[in-house]
Amino acid sequence: MPVEITWWGHATCTVEDSGTRVLTDPLFARRLAHLRRRRGALPPAEASVADVVLVSHLHADHLHLPSLVRLAPGTRLLVPHGALQAVPGLRKLNHLHLTEVRPGDETAVGKLVVRTVPALHDGRRLPFGRQRSPALGYVIDGEARTYFAGDTGLFDDMAKEVGDVDVALLPVGGWGPYLGHGHLDAGRAAEALARLGPGSAVPVHYGTYWPIGMDGVRPHEFHAPGDEFVRLAAARAPEVAVHLLGHGESVRPGTSWGSDRTGEGPEDRTR
């Protein structure tokens, strides 16, 4: 069966490959500090079902403890090296099998091998974290090779570190009107796509959360990144099939749209 990708919003995706469910950066909150979910229903209970969960870095919108609490007992959890020291609340998640990983590590899960790769991003637990912890990406190797970039900027060795991949899940925006260092916007994500050369790509990390009271501040940074990425990717990497998903929608890259598409229909996905 081909790989199937479901985007639940922000950086939260389910990757199903070789009978194994992989969940990335689970965030199941309607509100997080000064952020609120502006688009898409909260992910359903099935979204928290996974064999392994990948956490890319320690920021609270990627390592969200209340969302991790919802995971079933026995779920494997991969977090960046140093996370247990930087985020003491992780030690209370004794229902999970937690492993700290570094770039270059490989973890077998069912028929999959999850390879940890570097990312260019501030990996500390902000705003108070002093403990250094790397930001990571992951390559899920099964029937397909799927790259989950987490949060990252462009870096010189990106293509070398990631290697050959079939599908790339790339961040194309953020949760506020401005993106700082260590992020991809639609243009930089299109450049990453050109460097990586996968067969398919799914844009993530945009159009979900926004600061409370700032709906009118640079709203195009909330609405536009997905469509901009599609347009720019067509120019920079025309050989790559880009799948623009609505919240809760699924795709089987390399095939036609999956038959079990859920969530928003096309009329809800206008930008």
Side-chain angles (χ1 to χ4, degrees), residues 6-250:
T6 304
W7 182 47
W8 302 111
H10 203 52
T12 307
C13 301
T14 294
V15 180
E16 295 188 61
D17 189 331
S18 304
T20 301
R21 287 175 63 95
V22 182
L23 179 63
T24 66
D25 287 352
L27 182 56
F28 302 139
R30 190 172 303 280
R31 178 173 174 175
L32 173 64
H34 64 299
L35 306 178
R36 67 179 176 91
R37 189 172 180 121
R38 280 193 59 198
R39 176 178 287 158
L42 287 177
E46 67 186 70
S48 64
V49 176
D51 298 291
V52 62
V53 175
L54 312 179
V55 171
S56 63
H57 62 288
L58 306 189
H59 294 175
D61 57 322
H62 293 259
L63 194 167
H64 185 243
L65 290 172
S67 295
L68 297 178
V69 168
R70 292 178 50 179
L71 301 175
T75 302
R76 298 192 67 176
L77 175 64
L78 304 187
V79 298
H81 178 74
L84 281 168
Q85 183 175 351
V87 188
L90 282 171
R91 300 170 190 165
K92 299 179 182 180
L93 303 180
N94 52 18
H95 67 299
L96 306 177
H97 293 313
L98 186 150
T99 303
E100 292 189 339
V101 292
R102 295 182 172 95
D105 287 350
E106 294 187 349
T107 305
V109 183
K111 296 181 179 180
L112 304 179
V113 174
V114 178
R115 179 166 55 89
T116 308
V117 299
L120 178 63
H121 193 68
D122 186 342
R124 293 173 297 167
R125 184 71 164 184
L126 298 176
F128 306 112
R130 297 181 178 179
Q131 176 68 26
R132 289 285 179 181
S133 188
L136 305 173
Y138 297 91
V139 176
I140 303 158
D141 195 344
E143 292 189 34
R145 291 182 302 275
T146 302
Y147 170 46
F148 169 62
D151 245 358
T152 188
L154 284 170
F155 55 96
D156 290 342
D157 291 334
M158 176 179 276
K160 178 181 177 182
E161 294 286 357
V162 173
D164 293 334
V165 291
D166 302 298
V167 186
L169 310 179
L170 294 178
V172 301
W175 50 254
Y178 301 99
L179 285 174
H181 176 70
H183 293 87
L184 296 179
D185 60 9
R188 292 190 289 270
E191 172 60 25
L193 204 62
R195 297 184 187 186
L196 296 169
S200 301
V202 176
V204 302
H205 203 272
Y206 77 100
T208 309
Y209 291 91
W210 202 250
I212 294 170
M214 296 186 68
D215 291 5
V217 180
R218 295 175 63 86
H220 63 284
E221 297 291 355
F222 179 85
H223 294 283
D227 288 327
E228 287 186 10
F229 176 69
V230 171
R231 178 178 61 82
L232 295 170
R236 294 289 293 117
E239 72 285 356
V240 180
V242 177
H243 302 282
L244 188 66
L245 300 182
H247 295 85
E249 285 190 335
S250 302

